[in-house]
Amino acid sequence: MSIISIIPYTYVERKIKRTQKVTIQHSKDMCLYTDNIQTENDCFHINSIFDISYKCVSKESGFLYLHTNQGMFAYTIHTDPAAFIAAYKDIKKKG
């Protein structure tokens, strides 16, 4: 199965090391396939996703929301998601 579209997302991990609070920012990829969307920890079947939306919070970042039958999942992104969302909607339209 080949990847239709990819969008990078980030998440922040906070740890306490000895006497310091350390913040680590991780970057991962969200991959759109013809039958699912996969993230680092989750896999959503395309039929369980109702919609994908985006909210810009600054010039550098925004939130990509996956509205699913399991709830809403938010991912921080730093790139324009228009191509990813359009590819998703094209798959849903054909599906």
Side-chain angles (χ1 to χ4, degrees), residues 5-9 30 32 52-66 75-89:
S5 184
I6 296 177
I7 190 164
Y9 68 94
M30 181 182 297
L32 172 65
I52 298 178
S53 61
Y54 173 71
K55 176 161 174 98
C56 181
V57 293
S58 71
K59 283 186 175 183
E60 297 86 31
S61 67
F63 293 108
L64 185 72
Y65 296 102
L66 296 183
Y75 298 90
T76 304
I77 61 172
H78 302 284
T79 57
D80 183 13
F84 188 86
I85 294 171
Y88 159 77
K89 290 185 177 188

Side-chain angles (χ1 to χ4, degrees), residues 2-3 8 18 23 26 31 34 38 43 47 53 56 62-63 68-69 71 73-74 80 85-86 89 92 95:
S2 62
I3 296 173
R18 296 189 182 214
T23 302
H26 298 276
C31 300
T34 55
Q38 291 183 3
C43 181
N47 292 331
S53 61
C56 181
F63 293 108
T68 75
N69 62 359
F73 295 82
D80 183 13
I85 294 171
K89 290 185 177 188
K92 285 295 271 194

